[in-house]
């Protein structure tokens, strides 16, 4: 079986919206890493705040989105990390535009 490509995983993650702001987690800068080893995937991500109550919701949404787009994965693990702390500077230009921020 050929190795799992990174782009379908990233595309799947872009379908996961932060329900509080309606912007995808990639453009918000919440995804810190995508690690693939064979057909096992580990997504390292954070939240805008350690007190955010949506951690479990987003973990499940990530797993569902990735499995829907990349069904050949054996495992999908989502790890919430807090270092470095999220900062609005991590958002993409598209996220800033969606939120009405000026560059």
């Amino acid at each position: 079986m050929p190795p799992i490509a990174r782009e379908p995983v990233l595309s799947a993650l872009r379908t996961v919206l932060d329900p509080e702001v309606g912007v995808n987690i990639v453009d918000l800068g919440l995804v810190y890493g995508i690690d693939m080893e064979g057909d096992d995937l580990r997504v390292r991500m954070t939240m805008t705040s350690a007190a955010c109550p949506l951690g479990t919701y987003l973990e499940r949404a990530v797993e569902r989105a990735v499995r829907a787009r990349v069904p050949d994965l054996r495992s999908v693990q989502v790890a919430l990390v807090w270092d470095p702390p999220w900062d609005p500077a991590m958002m993409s230009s598209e996220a800033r535009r969606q939120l009405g921020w000026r560059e």
Side-chain angles (χ1 to χ4, degrees):
M1 174 175 5
I4 302 295
R6 180 181 170 86
E7 189 51 43
V9 173
L10 203 51
S11 177
L13 294 175
R14 283 194 173 98
T15 69
V16 179
L17 302 181
D18 181 306
E20 291 183 321
V21 294
V23 177
N24 76 72
I25 62 173
V26 173
D27 285 334
L28 277 177
L30 299 180
V31 176
Y32 284 179
I34 299 169
D35 306 309
M36 289 179 277
E37 192 170 310
D39 54 359
D40 296 316
L41 172 72
R42 182 172 186 250
V43 176
R44 287 177 290 113
M45 65 176 289
T46 195
M47 308 297 292
T48 56
S49 160
C52 179
L54 298 173
T56 301
Y57 167 82
L58 286 174
E59 285 178 286
R60 290 180 182 149
V62 164
E63 183 173 357
R64 279 192 308 273
V66 170
R67 287 196 178 280
R69 294 262 175 119
V70 191
D72 293 336
L73 289 169
R74 179 176 53 194
S75 69
V76 176
Q77 178 189 12
V78 180
L80 288 180
V81 297
W82 307 107
D83 189 35
W86 180 83
D87 184 275
M90 295 173 167
M91 291 189 298
S92 70
S93 295
E94 177 61 19
R96 286 187 181 91
R97 186 194 64 73
Q98 287 179 337
L99 295 173
W101 291 26
R102 294 200 170 158
E103 292 285 325

